[in-house]
């Protein structure tokens, strides 16, 4: 009897648990249905936006083509107008020249006939009237040579074509950059981890004030000098170090930094090693760097500083993503499993890239 009571109690408990579990499942189903509806709405809205963007761009390109076609017609008409004016003037000159030639031939024939006369009195009488050359026809100053006539206009058209081509390339690149930025900004950490590469620091490139540890995965500047041997790839004046591994495809890596100032960079291997500012990451056309400080943050390339907005939070953990063929370099602020885009640079990479770091006194970088 007691067992039956216990069994009934257990059964009641299980039934209660079942109802609770069912309620949780149904709540989850309802929530997922809402999520599904929202995603479907967002997808439909995105498709409508894409169709609208395509339609608007087609309309604008058609207008641009009409403008170009109208300009082509106007330029062609100007060529024809100049041709018609020149031909009209030339025809007038031709008629005058032909008339003068006919008159000269007639006078020449009369002179020839006069030369055969034996009547001296008649000869002298007629010679006086025939010997005077008629006034020469003034030939119009017509630029008969098409080279001289149209060279200036053709050069202007060529310059217009070059400017239009350059403008189109620049604007299409801007559009591509905006699309690329939207794609990059929407990437999650899991999206990028599939491209994760394990990196190690190259001791042969480390400046003497840079200390390496933990199997060349940590670099720090403690103020001491390391007795590194001479090497042609070693940075001579800047507290910098490059990684051994190069990047020539898609690559993602993370690092943790501490201290007051660090440079998080990518560089061509051909960067100068023995010199002044041209050796600093970001101060030449061979390197790109995120300059992190406790107060302000910059992106630097070829000595051009881009101040990052205050809302671009630089966390102690930074993710770097390179798409070499697409020419994109992106920096992310990583916090646990979430990350936010700090800065994306669109360019063209012509050589393999090497991750690199510069650490000021009291600062360090650890590869993750």
């Amino acid at each position: 009897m007691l067992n039956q009571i216990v069994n009934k109690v257990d059964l009641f408990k299980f039934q209660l648990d079942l109802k609770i579990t069912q309620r949780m499942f149904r709540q989850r189903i309802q929530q997922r249905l809402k999520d599904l509806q929202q995603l479907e709405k967002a997808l439909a809205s995105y498709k409508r936006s894409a169709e609208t963007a395509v339609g608007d761009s087609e309309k604008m390109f058609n207008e641009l083509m009409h403008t170009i076609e109208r300009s082509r017609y106007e330029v062609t008409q100007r060529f024809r107008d100049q041709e018609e004016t020149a031909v009209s003037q030339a025809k007038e000159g031709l008629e005058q020249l032909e008339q003068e030639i006919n008159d000269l031939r007639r006078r020449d024939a009369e002179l020839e006939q006069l030369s055969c006369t034996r009547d001296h009195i008649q000869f002298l009488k007629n010679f006086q009237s025939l010997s005077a050359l008629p006034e020469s026809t003034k030939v119009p100053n017509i630029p008969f040579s098409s080279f001289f006539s149209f060279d200036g206009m053709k050069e202007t058209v060529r310059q217009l074509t070059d400017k239009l081509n350059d403008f189109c390339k620049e604007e299409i690149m801007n559009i591509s950059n905006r699309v690329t930025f939207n794609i990059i900004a929407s990437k999650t950490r899991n999206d990028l981890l599939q491209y994760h590469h394990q990196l190690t620091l190259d001791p042969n490139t480390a400046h003497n004030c840079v200390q390496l540890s933990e199997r060349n995965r940590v670099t720090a500047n403690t103020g001491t000098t390391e007795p590194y041997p001479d090497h042609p790839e070693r940075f001579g004046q800047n507290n910098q170090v490059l990684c051994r591994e190069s990047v020539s495809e898609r690559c993602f890596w993370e690092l943790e930094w501490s201290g007051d100032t660090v440079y998080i960079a990518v560089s061509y291997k051909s960067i100068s090693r023995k010199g002044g500012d041209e050796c600093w990451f970001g101060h030449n056309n061979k390197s790109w760097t995120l300059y992190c400080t406790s107060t302000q943050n910059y992106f630097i390339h070829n000595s051009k500083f881009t101040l990052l907005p205050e809302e671009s939070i630089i966390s102690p953990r930074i993710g770097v993503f390179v798409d070499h063929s697409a020419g994109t370099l992106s920096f992310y602020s990583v916090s646990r499993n979430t990350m936010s885009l700090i800065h994306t640079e669109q360019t063209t990479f012509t050589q393999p890239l090497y991750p690199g770091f510069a650490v000021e006194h009291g600062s360090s970088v650890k590869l993750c």
Side-chain angles (χ1 to χ4, degrees):
M1 184 69 177
L2 181 60
N3 289 337
Q4 291 179 350
I5 294 174
V6 172
N7 289 337
K8 287 183 179 180
V9 171
D10 289 342
L11 179 61
F12 178 77
K13 181 178 180 300
F14 288 140
Q15 289 175 339
L16 182 61
D17 289 343
L18 175 62
K19 291 184 180 297
I20 294 174
T21 302
Q22 280 184 312
R23 188 181 304 118
M24 293 174 60
F25 269 88
R26 288 169 182 171
Q27 289 176 349
R28 176 72 66 84
I29 291 171
Q30 291 299 321
Q31 182 60 47
R32 286 309 181 193
L33 285 173
K34 289 181 180 179
D35 294 341
L36 178 62
Q37 291 175 353
Q38 290 177 354
L39 184 58
E40 288 176 341
K41 288 181 180 179
L43 180 59
S45 176
Y46 184 81
K47 287 183 176 180
R48 287 194 299 270
S49 298
E51 287 298 324
T52 301
V54 170
D56 291 344
S57 65
E58 286 290 331
K59 181 180 178 181
M60 287 183 283
F61 272 109
N62 286 333
E63 292 174 354
L64 178 61
M65 291 170 64
H66 287 318
T67 300
I68 294 174
E69 182 63 25
R70 184 170 60 252
S71 299
R72 184 194 67 82
Y73 173 79
E74 291 175 356
V75 170
T76 301
Q77 193 60 41
R78 289 182 183 274
F79 279 119
R80 294 305 182 194
D81 290 344
Q82 180 171 334
E83 177 191 16
E84 184 178 348
T85 301
V87 168
S88 176
Q89 294 177 5
K91 284 183 177 180
E92 181 181 348
L94 287 172
E95 292 174 356
Q96 293 175 358
L97 287 172
E98 288 175 353
Q99 180 64 40
E100 181 179 347
I101 290 171
N102 290 333
D103 291 343
L104 290 172
R105 284 175 175 171
R106 180 179 54 79
R107 297 282 288 275
D108 180 63
E110 291 176 353
L111 288 171
E112 179 65 25
Q113 184 179 2
L114 182 62
S115 67
C116 297
T117 185
R118 297 186 181 278
D119 187 342
H120 298 296
I121 296 175
Q122 186 67 28
F123 175 85
L124 292 174
K125 180 180 178 181
N126 292 340
F127 177 73
Q128 289 179 353
S129 62
L130 294 174
S131 61
L133 283 172
E135 184 178 351
S136 180
T137 302
K138 184 179 180 181
V139 180
N141 185 22
I142 307 297
F144 293 105
S145 172
S146 61
F147 176 80
F148 291 105
S149 298
F150 300 102
D151 185 61
M153 295 177 68
K154 288 192 295 184
E155 177 63 20
T156 302
V157 173
R158 187 192 65 78
Q159 292 177 2
L160 175 62
T161 302
D162 291 343
K163 289 180 180 179
L164 185 60
N165 285 332
D166 292 341
F167 176 78
C168 288
K169 289 179 182 178
E170 181 179 352
E171 291 305 310
I172 289 174
M173 179 62 73
N174 289 337
I175 294 171
S176 176
N177 290 348
R178 293 189 184 101
V179 174
T180 302
F181 178 83
N182 290 336
I183 294 173
I184 291 173
S186 64
K187 285 186 178 295
T188 66
R189 186 166 180 264
N190 287 334
D191 292 333
L192 298 181
L193 283 176
Q194 62 180 312
Y195 305 112
H196 184 267
H197 279 58
Q198 196 82 355
L199 301 175
T200 55
L201 301 167
D202 185 356
N204 291 331
T205 66
H207 183 266
N208 290 336
C209 289
V210 171
Q211 294 80 46
L212 305 183
S213 60
E214 297 187 23
R215 297 184 178 181
N216 296 331
R217 292 185 56 79
V218 175
T219 177
N221 185 343
T222 62
T224 60
T225 302
E226 296 294 324
Y228 294 132
D230 290 338
H231 196 281
E233 294 186 358
R234 190 175 309 285
F235 288 103
Q237 297 185 17
N238 305 319
N239 307 328
Q240 301 179 164
V241 60
L242 287 174
C243 288
R244 280 197 180 101
E245 297 78 11
S246 65
V247 176
S248 57
E249 297 179 352
R250 291 180 178 177
C251 184
F252 177 71
W253 63 95
E254 292 182 349
L255 59 104
E256 292 179 351
W257 71 282
S258 62
D260 184 62
T261 303
V262 299
Y263 292 71
I264 303 170
V266 293
S267 172
Y268 295 151
K269 196 171 186 178
S270 57
I271 187 174
S272 179
R273 310 302 172 97
K274 315 294 182 184
D277 289 344
E278 69 272 13
C279 300
W280 270 115
F281 291 145
H283 290 266
N284 46 69
N285 62 357
K286 297 180 179 180
S287 60
W288 298 256
T289 186
L290 180 68
Y291 176 67
C292 304
T293 72
S294 57
T295 55
Q296 290 182 322
N297 305 291
Y298 297 87
F299 177 81
I300 314 173
H301 173 63
N302 208 15
S303 295
K304 180 182 178 182
F305 286 69
T306 301
L307 178 63
L308 301 182
E310 294 182 359
E311 57 268 22
S312 297
I313 301 173
I314 307 294
S315 66
R317 191 181 184 101
I318 301 295
V320 185
F321 176 64
V322 170
D323 190 336
H324 195 280
S325 60
T328 56
L329 168 64
S330 303
F331 298 91
Y332 296 88
S333 184
V334 181
S335 177
R336 295 183 181 178
N337 289 326
T338 63
M339 67 180 191
S340 58
L341 182 65
I342 299 171
H343 180 77
T344 289
E345 188 71 10
Q346 184 75 43
T347 184
T348 300
F349 299 123
T350 58
Q351 302 176 32
L353 296 170
Y354 288 80
F357 309 97
V359 286
E360 297 296 334
H361 183 265
S363 301
S364 66
V365 170
K366 178 181 179 180
L367 290 166
C368 301

